[in-house]
Amino acid sequence: MKQDNWVWGLAGAAAGLLAVDKARKRLRLSRAKHPSLTGHVRMGKRVAGMVPGYALTPDEFFRVDDAPLEVIGRRRAGFERLATLYAERFAKTRAYTAEIRDSIPDLEFTAAYRVPFPFSPVVRERLAAGSFYQAAEGVSLTDLDGNRFTDLTGSYGVNLLGVDAYRAMVQQGIATTADLGPTLAGLHPVVADNVRRLKAISGLDAVSFHMSGTEAVMQAVRLARYHTGRSHLVRFSGAYHGWWGDVQPGVGNPVPADHTYTLADMSETTLEVLATRKNIACVLVNPLQAMHPNAGAPGDSTLVSGRADKRADRAAYAAWLQRLAAVCRKAGIVLIVDEVFTGFRLAPRGACEYFGIAPDMVTYGKTLGGGLPVGVVCGKAALMKRFREDRPADVCFARGTFNSHPSVMGAMDAFLRHMETAEGQALYHGVNAVWNDRAAALNARLAAEGVPVRVANLGTIWTIWHTMPSRYHWMLQFYLRAEGLALSWVGSGRMIFSLAYGDADFAQVADRFVAAAKRMAADGWWWAPEGDAQRALRNGLVREFAGHLLG
């Protein structure tokens, strides 16, 4: 009997120790998760579902911050002036867009979420400019009304070399593969050349082609899970890796991403979690997060407070990535660097070269396709294999009808060949210093004009931040468009330049940007109360939300 009691006591103690260890690991994971709602998937979805939908009346639209009557009057006059200009200057483009918008859900969504939702109905009615263009040349876009804009959209990351270069590459790619044409029975020989070049660029062993950056990331994660036998992936708060479910937890995903940990970037606790948990297959890194660690990609629709410049120092971010790589290597976790957006913008071998990191897998896309859609995974040979010799039924299937399409492979060949030339290599000579100097010069002008807006950049990728809080920062995008600057649907949250911009082109952008900011300030949108403006803004938002939530 005593022996039985001893056995049961020992078993109980062991169970207690296991419970304590499990609780300690759960606590460590909870501490490593980013404290925002993006780090807590289910809570984030619940809170998003509680936000009441409401629209400000035309009168409320101008006075949500309790500005004085004189300021409200200036805002009304400025808004009416803009609305009249938009109606006259963009008449054909906006009418064409309005006719088809309800049949293209993407247009309906981007129109609705271009600004904070309470302001959206009034903006959609009065400041619509349209979503169609009829021509592109150099650094310019032309809409259906014949208006020429300087292009700051960068084709959402594709347009590194300039639209004229990509137009020529697409034509060259089609000509290179013309004899095979759009036949998908096998591979065009140019694929082998692309593979050899991509292996040299990535420093990795094998390559697979896909139809988009999202697909490339999906396949990289699938392979990591397949070869490690582990279930979970780690991403960092705010990072974008495509629109598929596992990398988009919380708002925007209809189902919870239960096999995803969203952890804090540049965090010691995160490294502890990676070193101790045994269910993590891979860690995804988007180098663009160096611009805003632990924060989402900025967009005018979410711009309320004074978004500060929180860029990580290049050396500090490089040191973090190198420590992250070492921890992952020791723990048997696959490190995947997602270069779909940053690839080839920062250095000839991408952000991996720029930050000095050697991952297990890299994903590319965007500009690599020479102007056509593409996704690429480069990885170590053992990780890229899709089957097991000793378990023939255990495979990791992945296929796409248009993977390695001859025209795409031809355009990619044209891009890679160009980047190997003296002309292509010369593009990188001092390129980051040039764009850093341009950002600094523009910031000096903005400071001298006394406007509360600044720019931040990672090479040719730019965003803006503000020196004060305001409910109306998002209005800047409409003043910029009135000055002839074309922005993507997230507005001033992401401005992307091509290397086709010369000094004269950039000088024109700077002049227009400063003029827009000065006009917006003169129209009263950046008024702030005396005292703690941040607290006043926050309290006003709480009252507004509570009033609509409680009816």
Side-chain angles (χ1 to χ4, degrees), residues 160 314 344-348 354 424-439 457-462 497-501:
L160 171 64
R314 176 179 176 180
F344 311 104
R345 284 188 171 271
L346 300 174
Y354 183 79
Q425 291 297 301
L427 292 172
Y428 294 104
H429 295 167
V431 63
N432 289 299
V434 167
W435 286 98
N436 292 344
D437 289 346
R438 287 172 174 173
N457 74 299
L458 183 63
T460 54
I461 307 167
W462 288 36
F497 293 91
S498 75
L499 298 182
Y501 272 83

Side-chain angles (χ1 to χ4, degrees), residues 401-537:
T401 300
F402 290 98
N403 289 1
S404 302
H405 188 286
S407 296
V408 177
M409 292 296 101
M412 181 186 295
D413 173 69
F415 172 80
L416 290 173
R417 286 182 183 277
H418 174 76
M419 300 309 281
E420 288 179 341
T421 65
E423 180 185 358
Q425 291 297 301
L427 292 172
Y428 294 104
H429 295 167
V431 63
N432 289 299
V434 167
W435 286 98
N436 292 344
D437 289 346
R438 287 172 174 173
L442 179 54
N443 278 334
R445 289 184 62 181
L446 293 168
E449 294 292 348
V451 292
V453 57
R454 302 290 186 271
V455 299
N457 74 299
L458 183 63
T460 54
I461 307 167
W462 288 36
T463 187
I464 69 161
W465 60 282
H466 297 271
T467 61
M468 60 169 284
S470 171
R471 291 290 299 275
Y472 296 102
H473 286 317
W474 51 267
M475 275 294 297
L476 180 59
Q477 64 182 297
F478 299 101
Y479 283 89
L480 291 172
R481 190 170 186 88
E483 292 293 334
L485 299 179
L487 303 173
S488 66
W489 80 271
V490 296
S492 60
R494 182 73 75 234
M495 298 178 289
I496 309 167
F497 293 91
S498 75
L499 298 182
Y501 272 83
D503 289 340
D505 298 315
F506 181 79
Q508 186 179 65
V509 171
D511 289 345
R512 292 178 177 184
F513 196 103
V514 171
K518 288 173 63 177
R519 173 59 66 185
M520 180 166 167
D523 286 343
W525 300 105
W526 279 319
W527 172 86
E530 294 183 3
D532 190 342
Q534 182 75 42
R535 182 177 181 180
L537 182 148

Side-chain angles (χ1 to χ4, degrees), residues 121-340:
V122 173
V123 170
R124 277 181 282 171
E125 179 185 354
R126 303 297 309 283
L127 294 181
S131 302
F132 288 87
Y133 294 99
Q134 64 179 343
E137 181 183 11
V139 297
S140 298
L141 289 169
T142 303
D143 70 6
L144 307 189
D145 296 273
N147 299 299
R148 284 176 65 88
F149 299 88
T150 304
D151 180 14
L152 300 184
T153 72
S155 294
Y156 294 89
V158 173
N159 198 352
L160 171 64
L161 301 177
V163 65
D164 297 328
Y166 289 108
R167 183 180 287 121
M169 287 173 183
V170 170
Q171 293 171 351
Q172 183 179 339
I174 292 173
T176 298
T177 59
D179 289 344
L180 184 62
T183 300
L184 306 176
L187 303 177
H188 189 280
V190 78
V191 172
D193 291 333
N194 289 338
V195 168
R196 283 190 284 269
R197 290 186 174 89
L198 288 170
K199 287 172 61 178
I201 289 168
S202 66
L204 295 166
D205 308 316
V207 180
S208 65
F209 296 105
H210 306 272
M211 290 177 283
S212 71
T214 289
E215 280 194 17
V217 176
M218 289 174 69
Q219 174 64 354
V221 171
R222 278 165 61 91
L223 287 168
R225 284 171 164 163
Y226 176 64
H227 288 289
T228 63
R230 301 175 183 179
S231 57
H232 282 61
L233 69 88
V234 166
R235 62 183 289 275
F236 294 108
S237 181
Y240 183 74
H241 299 285
W243 54 264
W244 63 287
D246 278 7
V247 293
Q248 197 176 55
V251 178
N253 189 347
V255 296
D258 289 333
H259 288 84
T260 300
Y261 296 137
T262 297
L263 305 185
D265 213 346
M266 305 183 75
S267 162
E268 293 296 325
T269 308
T270 289
L271 295 180
E272 292 176 14
V273 166
L274 296 175
T276 56
R277 292 194 78 86
K278 304 302 182 184
N279 63 341
I280 297 174
C282 61
V283 171
L284 280 168
V285 171
N286 184 337
L288 196 59
Q289 287 304 108
M291 289 190 74
H292 37 73
N294 295 312
D300 284 346
S301 63
T302 57
L303 186 55
V304 177
S305 63
R307 181 174 63 211
D309 181 3
K310 296 183 178 180
R311 284 174 297 172
D313 175 79
R314 176 179 176 180
Y317 197 71
W320 155 254
L321 291 178
Q322 289 156 16
R323 291 186 64 203
L324 176 67
V327 170
C328 288
R329 193 177 304 115
K330 186 175 181 179
I333 297 170
V334 178
L335 179 61
I336 305 169
V337 174
D338 179 359
E339 290 232 46
V340 169

Side-chain angles (χ1 to χ4, degrees), residues 55-132:
L56 298 171
T57 67
D59 183 54
E60 293 171 330
F61 186 97
F62 300 98
R63 56 180 179 84
V64 291
D65 56 356
D66 298 321
L69 290 177
E70 181 271 333
V71 172
I72 292 173
R74 281 193 281 143
R75 290 174 178 173
R76 287 183 183 276
F79 189 89
E80 289 302 321
R81 184 171 57 252
L82 272 180
T84 300
L85 181 150
Y86 272 52
E88 295 174 352
R89 187 178 297 177
F90 312 133
K92 185 176 180 179
T93 307
R94 65 192 284 176
Y96 197 87
T97 304
E99 180 183 348
I100 198 67
R101 184 179 57 226
D102 292 342
S103 299
I104 304 178
D106 283 352
L107 290 184
E108 184 182 28
F109 177 82
T110 55
Y113 286 88
R114 190 176 293 274
V115 303
F117 70 85
F119 299 92
S120 184
V122 173
V123 170
R124 277 181 282 171
E125 179 185 354
R126 303 297 309 283
L127 294 181
S131 302
F132 288 87

